[in-house]
C-alpha cells in the first residue's frame, strides 16, 4: 500500500522546490491580559462582531498557501472555491506557469483528491484524520471552511462570556464552549475579529488563528471587512512530532458571494481509487 502512494508524494516535492525561497511563517501575536468588567458597550461589540460570519456564504479566489509541520514544509498555489456548509474545492498548481497538479474537493461528510500527475484518486470521509493525511493539519471541515472564508463562527450568546480582557487597544472575550473555551480577539475601532484561540477542557491551547490585511466588501447591503491573510497555528501534542503545525493563507484575489459560482468536480473514469479511511499513515507524514 505504501508503494502506491510514493507517486503522490511527488506533488508535494514540487511544492517544496517552488516555495522554499519565499516561505511564510506564522507570527506570534500578543493578547490582552488586563481583566475588565463586561460593560454594555463591550457586550454590544461582541454581538456586532458575532454576526459578521453569517453574511459570508461563498468565496471564489486565488491564494498562496504555506504549510509547515515538524516533517513537512510546503508552498502551494491554489484556486479556492467555497460554498460554506456545502462544497469546498482547491485546485493546486505548481511552477511558474501554474500547471494544475491536484484537484481537491472537501464536503462536510467526504473528500476527494485527484492526483493529476499520477492519474490516481484518494477518497474518504472528511474526518480530521483524513484531512491531516492530505494537508498535514488535523482539522474538521467546518473549521477549514471558516479559515478559508476568513471568518469566525460565533454562535454563543453574551451569557456564555466568562471573562473580558483589554490591552494594546484590543479586547478579548473568553467564551465557554462545548469541550473547552475559545477566546476572541477584537479591534474595537474597526470592529474586526483579528484572532481566535481554542482551549481544551484542561485549559491547554489547541489552535490559534490570526486575521490580517483586511479589505472592505459590501455584502447584503452591509459593509464587511475580510482578511487577506489568515495565519493558523495548531498545538495538539498528539499530532506527529508533537510540534507546532502552521498554515498561512494569503489571497491574491477573490470574489465574495459570487452569484455565478458553480463548483464542478469530476474524477476521470480510468483513475486508480485509494480509500483514505483504510490507510493509517501516508509516507510523507
Amino acid at each position: 500500500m505504501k508503494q502506491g502512494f510514493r507517486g503522490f508524494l511527488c506533488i508535494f516535492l514540487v511544492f517544496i522546490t517552488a516555495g522554499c525561497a519565499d516561505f511564510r511563517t506564522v507570527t506570534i501575536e500578543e493578547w490582552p491580559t488586563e481583566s475588565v468588567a463586561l460593560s454594555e458597550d463591550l457586550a454590544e461589540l461582541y454581538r456586532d462582531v458575532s454576526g459578521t460570519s453569517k453574511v459570508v456564504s461563498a468565496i471564489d479566489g486565488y491564494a498562496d498557501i504555506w504549510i509547515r509541520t515538524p516533517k513537512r514544509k510546503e508552498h502551494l498555489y491554489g484556486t479556492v472555491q467555497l460554498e460554506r456548509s456545502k462544497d469546498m474545492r482547491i485546485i493546486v498548481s505548481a511552477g511558474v506557469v501554474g500547471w494544475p497538479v491536484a484537484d481537491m474537493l472537501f464536503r462536510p461528510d467526504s473528500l476527494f483528491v485527484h492526483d493529476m500527475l499520477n492519474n490516481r484518486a484518494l477518497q474518504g470521509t472528511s474526518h480530521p484524520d483524513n484531512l491531516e493525511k492530505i494537508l498535514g493539519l488535523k482539522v474538521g471541515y467546518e473549521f477549514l471552511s471558516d479559515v478559508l472564508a476568513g471568518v469566525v463562527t460565533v454562535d454563543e450568546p453574551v451569557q456564555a462570556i466568562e471573562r473580558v480582557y483589554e490591552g494594546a487597544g484590543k479586547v478579548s472575550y473568553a467564551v465557554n464552549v462545548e469541550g473547552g473555551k475559545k477566546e476572541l480577539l477584537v479591534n474595537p475601532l474597526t470592529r474586526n475579529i483579528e484572532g481566535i484561540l481554542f482551549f481544551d477542557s484542561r485549559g491547554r491551547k489547541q489552535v490559534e488563528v490570526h486575521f490580517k490585511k483586511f479589505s472592505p466588501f459590501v455584502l447584503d447591503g452591509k459593509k464587511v471587512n475580510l482578511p487577506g491573510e489568515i495565519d493558523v497555528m495548531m498545538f495538539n501534542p498528539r499530532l506527529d512530532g508533537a510540534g507546532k503545525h502552521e498554515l498561512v493563507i494569503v489571497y491574491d484575489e477573490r470574489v465574495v458571494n459570487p452569484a455565478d459560482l458553480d463548483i464542478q468536480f469530476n474524477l476521470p473514469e480510468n483513475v486508480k481509487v485509494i480509500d483514505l479511511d483504510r490507510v493509517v499513515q501516508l509516507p510523507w507524514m
Side-chain angles (χ1 to χ4, degrees):
M1 180 64 72
K2 287 187 177 181
Q3 182 67 30
F5 281 104
R6 287 177 182 169
F8 191 74
L9 178 59
C10 293
I11 295 175
F12 298 99
L13 292 178
V14 172
F15 297 154
I16 294 171
T17 303
C20 287
D22 185 29
F23 200 84
R24 299 283 292 272
T25 57
V26 174
T27 302
I28 301 295
E29 304 282 348
E30 295 294 328
W31 288 68
T33 57
E34 181 183 353
S35 181
V36 297
L38 178 61
S39 65
E40 182 53 41
D41 286 344
L42 291 175
E44 182 58 33
L45 175 63
Y46 177 83
R47 295 188 192 97
D48 188 24
V49 300
S50 298
T52 301
S53 71
K54 296 179 175 61
V55 298
V56 179
S57 60
I59 296 285
D60 188 4
Y62 187 81
D64 286 73
I65 303 173
W66 289 266
I67 297 175
R68 187 187 185 106
T69 77
K71 296 183 180 181
R72 296 169 62 183
K73 183 179 178 181
E74 294 144 14
H75 181 188
L76 291 64
Y77 309 91
T79 298
V80 177
Q81 297 180 315
L82 167 66
E83 287 185 282
R84 296 178 67 197
S85 301
K86 295 182 180 179
D87 291 349
M88 174 170 48
R89 185 185 185 191
I90 304 176
I91 304 172
V92 181
S93 303
V96 178
V97 296
W99 286 331
V101 294
D103 193 353
M104 301 184 285
L105 180 72
F106 302 91
R107 289 173 172 161
D109 60 352
S110 56
L111 66 85
F112 306 86
V113 178
H114 180 203
D115 170 9
M116 298 177 178
L117 292 182
N118 299 288
N119 195 36
R120 81 175 46 107
L122 291 81
Q123 66 181 36
T125 60
S126 56
H127 190 278
D129 288 343
N130 284 340
L131 269 73
E132 183 183 11
K133 294 170 189 175
I134 299 301
L135 301 174
L137 298 166
K138 193 169 186 176
V139 298
Y141 171 86
E142 182 178 356
F143 177 81
L144 181 60
S145 175
D146 283 355
V147 165
L148 286 172
V151 298
V152 175
T153 299
V154 183
D155 296 323
E156 297 78 19
V158 171
Q159 291 75 13
I161 298 175
E162 183 183 73
R163 292 182 182 177
V164 182
Y165 302 92
E166 289 186 340
K170 306 292 176 64
V171 178
S172 67
Y173 298 89
V175 182
N176 290 316
V177 297
E178 183 178 357
K181 182 178 67 175
K182 70 181 179 184
E183 193 167 331
L184 303 173
L185 180 65
V186 178
N187 185 324
L189 296 180
T190 62
R191 307 185 89 79
N192 294 333
I193 296 179
E194 296 186 352
I196 185 168
L197 285 170
F198 291 95
F199 299 88
D200 65 12
S201 58
R202 297 170 61 181
R204 298 175 300 184
K205 183 161 61 173
Q206 302 291 293
V207 181
E208 181 170 353
V209 182
H210 287 277
F211 302 103
K212 305 175 181 179
K213 300 178 181 178
F214 287 83
S215 298
F217 293 85
V218 178
L219 308 174
D220 297 335
K222 178 181 179 181
K223 179 183 175 182
V224 177
N225 295 323
L226 294 178
E229 177 178 333
I230 302 104
D231 296 357
V232 182
M233 289 173 288
M234 302 187 66
F235 304 92
N236 192 330
R238 291 176 297 178
L239 295 176
D240 65 288
K244 182 172 63 177
H245 288 50
E246 300 181 5
L247 170 68
V248 177
I249 302 167
V250 177
Y251 277 101
D252 299 312
E253 58 182 73
R254 66 185 153 171
V255 178
V256 182
N257 294 354
D260 57 349
L261 181 61
D262 183 22
I263 298 178
Q264 297 287 337
F265 180 88
N266 296 297
L267 285 174
E269 295 181 357
N270 59 341
V271 296
K272 178 182 178 181
V273 178
I274 300 171
D275 187 354
L276 282 172
D277 295 314
R278 300 180 62 184
V279 178
V280 176
Q281 188 176 27
L282 303 186
W284 57 81
M285 289 175 57

